[in-house]
Amino acid sequence: MSLGFPWSDTRPRRPLYRQFIGQLLIPLVIAFVLAAAGTVLIGYRVELAAQVSHREDLVRVFSHALVKPLWDCDSTASQGVVDALASLPTVAGAQLQDLCNNLSLKAGEVGSAQTETQQYSQRVIYVDQQGRQYTVGELTVTFHPASIANAALDMMWRYLVLFFVMLGVMMVGAILVFRRTISQPLARFQAAIRTGVGFGGDDLPRLDDEIRKHNDELGDVMRAYDELMVELASVIDRLRDNERVLMEIARLDPLTKLGNRLVLEEELSDAVARAERQQTIGCVMLIDLNRFKPINDTYGHAAGDAVLKETARRLLSSVRRSDTVVRLGGDEFVVIVENLHWPYEPQVLIDKLYRAISAPLEYDGHILEVGASIGAACFPADGTNSVTLLAHADHAMYANKKREQ
């Protein structure tokens, strides 16, 4: 006599994982298609915004570069800047209205309103030391038409290929994971049920043990994994924060908050490269404070620190925001300046820095005064690497110190 069950079914057996995959396939395909379309749309918006921002920044940078030559009525230098702008791959042409010489400087093909090109215009304004503004010209840049549509199509098929590959991998993975995490536990659960039914009530605890073991272990593992992931994410965040802080500490002088030798090496190398590429002149100035040690010995290190911080502030206020001021250590500072007019402007800047440093400083009821010995090396004339330039500036600085003594 065979053992029968009231829920016996003679229909073909359909494993649960096949039903799961069959019902999940269509939603997954729809989700991946929507994700691909959304990603392409977002990419299109981001690319378009980035292109507009890049063009505006480009026009702004070149307008700033034209302020000095237009104010000096140097049409040759202005034409050079316009030619450099027109040579960029994304630029079709550029036109500059030189109000000083009443000229229209052009380079490349300047589009019109009927063309598909895009134009950006910006006035070139000179601001004097009193804050008065003078319009010295207007720069109009014509850009090549943007190929955003082609970029979007290219991005579309790449994302679709990627998404469908991922879909295939996910489907295969889902089958394997489903069979391992659901089908096999269900098979063991079914075997435990059949064992309990076949051997009577004495075997029922074996079924309870299987259920309890399955539920408790999966719950404990998932809870332990979740706690581990939370703790791991917290550790990673702390490590990233510590790394960021250490990087900032490694690049900054803790007293003056100026850059240190690492910043000097990077900025000087970049400045020399820009000077060679743009055929401009820059200088590195090595500054050593005079009469600093007596202040430390007489009034204490707190007074010396105050002098160093005030010197750093005065140096920063004496140069342009694009220039670099670093502290080498002790009472030595370095200033890197670019786009100078040889031979007059370097000496003017040296005199300015000397006056700024030599101004009296009041500290705790005392008037403190320091001097400075400044040595300059200009690039690329005096060298094209940081070692040579600093050695040249150091030699010039000590020569000036001897003359002052």
Side-chain angles (χ1 to χ4, degrees):
M1 181 179 177
S2 63
L3 182 63
F5 298 95
W7 55 83
S8 297
D9 195 347
T10 58
R11 290 178 299 176
R13 186 172 181 271
R14 298 180 59 199
L16 283 177
Y17 77 88
R18 291 185 182 177
Q19 299 181 44
F20 172 76
I21 294 301
Q23 296 180 14
L24 188 63
L25 180 61
I26 294 178
L28 279 177
V29 171
I30 295 175
F32 273 95
V33 171
L34 291 177
T39 304
V40 170
L41 180 60
I42 293 173
Y44 168 79
R45 298 289 187 183
V46 171
E47 181 69 20
L48 186 61
Q51 190 176 80
V52 172
S53 176
H54 172 72
R55 292 180 174 183
E56 292 175 349
D57 291 342
L58 187 65
V59 174
R60 189 180 304 111
V61 169
F62 274 87
S63 297
H64 179 74
L66 285 165
V67 171
K68 181 65 176 176
L70 287 177
W71 180 253
D72 294 339
C73 297
D74 188 350
S75 60
T76 302
S78 300
Q79 182 65 55
V81 175
V82 173
D83 292 339
L85 175 59
S87 66
L88 297 178
T90 59
V91 177
Q95 180 176 355
L96 174 65
Q97 296 297 330
D98 186 350
L99 299 182
C100 178
N101 297 306
N102 196 21
L103 294 176
S104 178
L105 307 178
K106 297 181 179 180
E109 299 180 0
V110 181
S112 61
Q114 288 75 27
T115 64
E116 296 181 356
T117 55
Q118 301 181 24
Q119 287 188 344
Y120 291 76
S121 298
Q122 180 166 325
R123 291 188 302 163
V124 182
I125 299 175
Y126 175 82
V127 182
D128 64 11
Q129 294 181 350
Q130 286 74 34
R132 294 173 295 189
Q133 297 183 355
Y134 302 91
T135 299
V136 293
E138 183 175 1
L139 178 64
T140 302
V141 183
T142 302
F143 291 92
H144 291 296
S147 58
I148 299 296
N150 293 336
L153 290 176
D154 181 69
M155 192 183 305
M156 171 75 79
W157 77 263
R158 292 178 186 274
Y159 277 121
L160 287 178
V161 170
L162 176 62
F163 284 145
F164 280 112
V165 170
M166 292 177 62
L167 176 62
V169 173
M170 287 187 62
M171 297 301 293
V172 174
I175 293 174
L176 297 176
V177 171
F178 188 90
R179 294 186 64 178
R180 181 178 178 181
T181 59
I182 298 180
S183 296
Q184 293 176 3
L186 282 178
R188 292 195 300 270
F189 185 68
Q190 185 180 17
I193 293 176
R194 290 175 182 250
T195 301
V197 172
F199 290 90
D202 293 339
D203 293 330
L204 288 179
R206 295 173 54 189
L207 176 60
D208 295 338
D209 291 341
E210 182 67 27
I211 295 174
R212 185 166 52 252
K213 180 182 68 174
H214 175 72
N215 289 340
D216 287 349
E217 285 188 354
L218 287 179
D220 292 342
V221 168
M222 292 306 295
R223 282 191 296 273
Y225 178 79
D226 183 64
E227 292 173 359
L228 178 61
M229 288 298 102
V230 172
E231 181 64 23
L232 181 60
S234 177
V235 171
I236 291 175
D237 289 339
R238 290 197 298 270
L239 289 175
R240 288 176 177 172
D241 292 339
N242 292 338
E243 182 183 11
R244 190 180 305 113
V245 171
L246 290 175
M247 288 296 295
E248 292 177 359
I249 293 175
R251 293 172 56 85
L252 291 180
D253 173 54
L255 177 64
T256 62
K257 305 307 178 184
L258 297 177
N260 56 17
R261 286 184 178 271
L262 292 177
V263 176
L264 172 62
E265 291 290 338
E266 295 176 4
E267 295 296 333
L268 186 53
S269 299
D270 293 343
V272 172
R274 283 191 295 269
E276 291 181 332
R277 184 171 59 252
Q278 301 172 4
Q279 296 184 352
T280 57
I281 295 175
C283 283
V284 54
M285 300 179 183
L286 182 60
I287 303 169
D288 183 67
L289 300 184
N290 298 330
R291 303 187 300 276
F292 176 75
K293 188 175 184 301
I295 292 176
N296 254 344
D297 296 341
T298 304
Y299 303 105
H301 290 288
D305 291 345
V307 170
L308 292 175
K309 289 191 286 187
E310 177 62 17
T311 300
R313 188 195 67 78
R314 292 178 180 181
L315 291 176
L316 288 173
S317 64
S318 300
V319 298
R320 301 164 297 187
R321 295 184 63 182
S322 58
D323 298 330
T324 301
V325 180
V326 301
R327 181 190 176 199
L328 281 183
D331 57 355
E332 288 188 331
F333 297 84
V334 175
V335 176
I336 304 172
V337 291
E338 303 180 56
N339 299 319
L340 295 177
H341 296 280
W342 181 264
Y344 308 105
E345 196 169 354
Q347 186 58 48
V348 172
L349 181 56
I350 289 175
D351 295 339
K352 181 180 180 181
L353 295 177
Y354 184 84
R355 289 193 301 270
I357 296 172
S358 301
L361 166 65
E362 182 178 355
Y363 173 79
D364 195 22
H366 302 284
I367 301 299
L368 308 180
E369 293 185 63
V370 295
S373 297
I374 303 176
C378 293
F379 48 87
D382 294 329
T384 56
N385 61 75
S386 58
V387 175
T388 303
L389 289 170
L390 290 175
H392 190 98
D394 185 72
H395 179 76
M397 185 266 291
Y398 277 104
N400 291 334
K401 186 182 288 288
K402 289 182 180 179
R403 284 195 298 269
E404 293 169 359
Q405 292 174 350

